[in-house]
Amino acid sequence: THTHTHTRAHHPTPHLHSKSWRLFEKKKTPSLPRPFSPHAAAPCFHGTRPALFQYQDTSEDTDTTSPLGQSAAAGGPGQPVPTVIASNLKAKTTILKSKPPPSESSASITTAEGAQPDFPAPPGCMWAALHQQRNAGQLATTLPFGCKGAAHNRTCVFHNLYWINGSLIAMDLPQQEQEGEQVPAVHRLPTDRSEMYVDPAAKWGESQPPVVVSVPNVSAALDFLQGQAKHLLRCPGPSLYFAPFFPKNVGHGLFDGLYPAYVGALRFGYHMKPLRLVVKSPWEHSQAHEIYRQFGNADNSSDFALPLVTWKTLAQLAEKGVAVQFEDAIVGCAHMNQRFVTSTMTIGGGRDPELQGMHWFRARMYSSHGQTVRPWRQGRTRDSVRIILVDNKRYTAADRREIAIFLKRAQQAGLSVLNMTWADYWPFSKQLELLGTTDVYMSGPGTGLMLHPFLPDNTVVVNLLGCGRIDGKCFPRAMEHYVSASVPFLRALYYSNGKRLKGLKADELLRLALEAAALVVDGFAIPVPEGANLSPEGKVFVEACRRNPTVCQQLMDQSNSAVLPPRNPCEMMAWAPAYVYELGGYSVEGAVNETGQRIFCTLMRDEVRAVRQEMQDLLELQELPRQCKC
């Protein structure tokens, strides 16, 4: 077994200018984040926790070095969080002393005269005059509900979390605060900052844990905010902040963005309450964003809607010198996305008996779009089973000819099959309307299969597989089997491994459709047993992990790394077939990355080979062929 250790690339936090403590340059227009790419650096910062900065009086300081520009990393979880103090700066600095509270005639953060800005506030938010916020309860960041989850998988609900030119800021006021209302001790930020490490990104999304700014009192807090911005925007109600990975693709946008963030909200009982979605992504014209805009509205009623806040909106506000105060911000989701590898090959929270993540995600999706899920009923006949065959870019011309033959034979067998493409069902509510009355969902892997978690209870998804090629070998690819394995209210069937590499065939399609229809008519117990919906390769991997959990954990640590450039074979090939058939970096020979370095990925090789032999009848492949017809 070989282990390769990665080095994480860190992206610096935006600068706090030492003269005015500003988080933005007046003369510069804040740029939008560059589009995410699976081949570009993704700052997930899994080894970083919220940095702690003490508020300094730097009126005599001419050094432009910013505390926020310094690295906040200090090893892995559980290590002390660094404190950037005055001695780290070149010029003389002093801790800001207490000042008398501002009077009613004091200048507001909005303008010197206290007037509101000359541009409208985003829907659902309002301008706040800073001089009217005179107590710690209105300014300090607190944790009224605490945090839940372990490091890198933690969700916190922050009261009064600030967004200032690209940084999430938690403002900490000490317990000895004497001006105005005190912050309840039970709600204060923990002394050990590692206890509130949160990552709003899902594995490969862009990470942004909050930065903690410590101020001595209310006056210092007011000075800090006035030094950062010209206007203060307050957004009341709960806000769900997350950074999705590649939301231009609806599958990633849903299950590498919205779903993990939603499970974070579910942890605190916000699962069916109105939510303001704050989405850190430059791709606003996509189906995922269409869904985001509607999803925050829990019951499709405009009376309780909290409009979506986009990254473009936040960038425009920063350009105008606006700081945003989120009344209640739900942050943290990292390890609950679809591309995070687990030893059970399931998505975080999906099968959890307490969270029931997939159940509530489906319920919220239908409710927010004004649709309903049809309940299962007994006494149905085969001709009443509704089957959809979803178009897929992976179908070859030969596959499509076989599909046409299958459709004719299915009709002769008394099956109702709709051959369709999702592009004909728009907007997304139309897709849910179709899914809510569907019994069997057939498609190849990829985006075409990603909507099957929204099927009703006692339904079936049929994964027609695809083909992969690496090291001169062809192998079957189920891809989204870990999504199916995370949904406890449906069954998953798979095209034959041995037959799929020869292309789709009408006879096998008909066999699967008839089997799926029989399952719908007869019904089955819910929840489906854990592991029952996995592909053959998924079952081999899970059993090998069970036999050697230590090496399995090392494999998962590599597969779940956020370091992408140069392309690391261990994470780029983090799929069950690569583990089971020993492909790419998981082969004995290893793989060469873009820098020419040969990398060997960790694998419990002995266990994989033993289980592969034991499950040979399930895998159907004695060895991988050099040629395939798909």
Side-chain angles (χ1 to χ4, degrees):
T1 301
H2 302 272
T3 303
H4 175 73
T5 303
H6 302 175
T7 301
R8 184 174 307 282
H10 292 281
H11 287 224
T13 311
H15 285 184
L16 243 179
H17 300 294
S18 55
K19 180 71 175 178
S20 62
W21 305 290
R22 297 187 187 275
L23 284 171
F24 62 92
E25 292 277 11
K26 289 185 178 180
K27 297 181 181 180
K28 294 182 179 180
T29 300
S31 60
L32 289 173
R34 57 177 176 76
F36 302 133
S37 166
H39 311 315
C44 264
F45 297 161
H46 285 322
T48 312
R49 294 163 309 285
L52 169 64
F53 301 102
Q54 292 181 342
Y55 185 68
Q56 311 291 335
D57 182 353
T58 55
S59 56
E60 301 179 13
D61 185 15
T62 58
D63 178 33
T64 58
T65 301
S66 163
L68 278 178
Q70 302 179 35
S71 173
Q79 298 298 318
V81 177
T83 302
V84 179
I85 57 176
S87 59
N88 291 346
L89 302 178
K90 295 179 181 179
K92 179 181 178 181
T93 59
T94 57
I95 301 296
L96 187 68
K97 298 180 180 179
S98 301
K99 296 180 180 180
S103 64
E104 292 295 333
S105 61
S106 298
S108 164
I109 196 172
T110 51
T111 63
E113 294 79 22
Q116 293 186 356
D118 57 0
F119 51 92
C125 301
M126 61 193 71
W127 299 115
L130 194 59
H131 67 274
Q132 295 177 358
Q133 303 191 45
R134 301 169 55 92
N135 61 61
Q138 291 177 310
L139 294 171
T141 303
T142 59
L143 293 170
F145 307 110
C147 299
K148 295 184 180 181
H152 307 308
N153 199 24
R154 180 174 292 124
T155 306
C156 297
V157 179
F158 296 92
H159 181 66
N160 293 339
L161 187 67
Y162 296 85
W163 186 93
I164 305 177
N165 193 37
S167 288
L168 289 175
I169 303 294
M171 189 160 6
D172 188 29
L173 270 72
Q175 187 171 358
Q176 59 267 26
E177 169 65 41
Q178 295 180 352
E179 298 176 11
E181 176 186 333
Q182 291 194 13
V183 178
V186 69
H187 294 167
R188 295 182 183 281
L189 301 183
T191 304
D192 182 357
R193 304 301 180 183
S194 65
E195 294 179 12
M196 51 172 280
Y197 172 92
V198 290
D199 193 340
K203 186 178 178 178
W204 287 345
E206 189 171 354
S207 178
Q208 190 183 34
V211 174
V212 179
V213 174
S214 188
V215 292
N217 50 45
V218 167
S219 295
L222 297 177
D223 282 351
F224 173 79
L225 289 174
Q226 288 174 326
Q228 304 307 317
K230 294 183 289 185
H231 313 291
L232 179 65
L233 183 70
R234 181 171 176 80
C235 295
S239 299
L240 184 60
Y241 184 97
F242 64 101
F245 164 69
F246 197 59
K248 193 173 182 179
N249 176 289
V250 68
H252 287 296
L254 286 177
F255 291 99
D256 283 318
L258 182 58
Y259 171 79
Y262 174 73
V263 174
L266 176 60
R267 284 172 157 175
F268 290 92
Y270 286 96
H271 50 294
M272 294 302 287
K273 297 179 180 179
L275 291 169
R276 174 187 297 103
L277 269 58
V278 184
V279 184
K280 186 179 182 183
S281 167
W283 283 314
E284 297 184 17
H285 302 289
S286 64
Q287 185 181 16
H289 267 76
E290 173 208 332
I291 296 170
Y292 296 163
R293 292 180 189 280
Q294 195 67 26
F295 190 82
N297 191 355
D299 59 358
N300 197 37
S301 169
S302 59
D303 294 340
F304 299 99
L306 292 174
L308 175 75
V309 176
T310 66
W311 194 239
K312 181 179 179 181
T313 298
L314 291 176
Q316 291 173 339
L317 290 172
E319 184 179 357
K320 296 177 180 179
V322 176
V324 183
Q325 182 193 58
F326 294 108
E327 182 180 39
D328 290 301
I330 308 164
V331 187
C333 62
H335 288 184
M336 295 180 283
N337 65 302
Q338 64 151 339
R339 290 299 291 123
F340 188 86
V341 180
T342 66
S343 60
T344 59
M345 282 277 166
T346 56
I347 303 175
R351 293 188 57 91
D352 187 302
E354 294 184 5
L355 288 177
Q356 301 183 63
M358 283 295 182
H359 166 81
W360 286 112
F361 190 55
R362 179 187 63 175
R364 172 85 181 213
M365 191 65 72
Y366 275 87
S367 177
S368 63
H369 285 80
Q371 300 294 326
T372 57
V373 183
R374 181 211 62 212
W376 180 80
R377 66 183 188 276
Q378 293 181 335
R380 298 182 59 185
T381 57
R382 190 170 70 184
D383 59 0
S384 70
V385 174
R386 189 170 185 177
I387 303 173
I388 61 172
L389 177 60
V390 181
D391 189 40
N392 196 292
K393 66 181 181 181
R394 291 173 172 81
Y395 298 154
T396 65
D399 290 338
R400 296 182 186 279
R401 289 192 292 270
E402 291 292 325
I403 287 173
I405 297 172
F406 156 69
L407 292 172
K408 293 180 180 179
R409 294 183 180 176
Q411 185 177 17
Q412 295 169 356
L415 293 175
S416 174
V417 182
L418 174 65
N419 188 24
M420 50 81 67
T421 176
W422 286 124
D424 294 336
Y425 291 81
W426 201 266
F428 185 66
S429 58
K430 294 294 184 182
Q431 299 180 6
L432 288 176
E433 184 178 1
L434 176 62
L435 286 167
T437 58
T438 294
D439 298 299
V440 179
Y441 185 131
M442 302 178 70
S443 188
T447 307
L449 203 63
M450 285 305 298
L451 298 185
H452 75 266
F454 302 117
L455 287 170
D457 288 353
N458 288 97
T459 52
V460 181
V461 58
V462 180
N463 190 325
L464 301 182
L465 307 185
C467 295
R469 294 177 177 84
I470 192 171
D471 299 337
K473 301 176 181 178
C474 291
F475 59 92
R477 299 185 69 184
M479 294 179 70
E480 280 72 35
H481 67 129
Y482 46 79
V483 178
S484 304
S486 307
V487 184
F489 48 78
L490 57 75
R491 283 289 306 276
L493 301 178
Y494 294 87
Y495 201 97
S496 162
N497 271 352
K499 296 177 181 179
R500 185 62 182 93
L501 298 183
K502 300 175 183 178
L504 292 178
K505 300 299 179 184
D507 289 344
E508 182 67 7
L509 291 171
L510 182 59
R511 183 191 70 79
L512 287 166
L514 290 170
E515 183 180 352
L519 282 170
V520 172
V521 171
D522 296 340
F524 48 84
I526 294 176
V528 173
E530 185 170 348
N533 284 343
L534 281 171
S535 69
E537 291 79 11
K539 292 178 180 179
V540 171
F541 173 80
V542 169
E543 176 58 22
C545 271
R546 187 191 67 80
R547 296 184 185 185
N548 193 337
T550 300
V551 176
C552 178
Q553 184 60 55
Q554 295 173 5
L555 176 150
M556 291 187 293
D557 289 343
Q558 289 187 349
S559 296
N560 294 323
S561 171
V563 180
L564 293 179
R567 296 184 198 179
N568 190 299
C570 302
E571 60 190 2
M572 299 305 293
M573 284 297 294
W575 300 91
Y579 306 141
V580 173
Y581 299 120
E582 302 179 46
L583 300 171
Y586 297 94
S587 66
V588 175
E589 297 80 15
V592 178
N593 66 9
E594 290 184 341
T595 64
Q597 180 184 11
R598 184 167 294 278
I599 294 180
F600 300 90
C601 304
T602 297
L603 179 67
M604 48 281 183
R605 200 174 308 279
D606 292 341
E607 289 76 13
V608 164
R609 290 178 176 179
V611 179
R612 194 171 65 205
Q613 184 63 36
E614 295 169 13
M615 297 187 180
Q616 191 62 56
D617 291 343
L618 184 64
L619 289 172
E620 299 182 10
L621 296 171
Q622 296 293 332
E623 60 181 27
L624 297 180
R626 295 286 177 176
Q627 300 292 329
C628 49
K629 297 181 179 180
C630 54

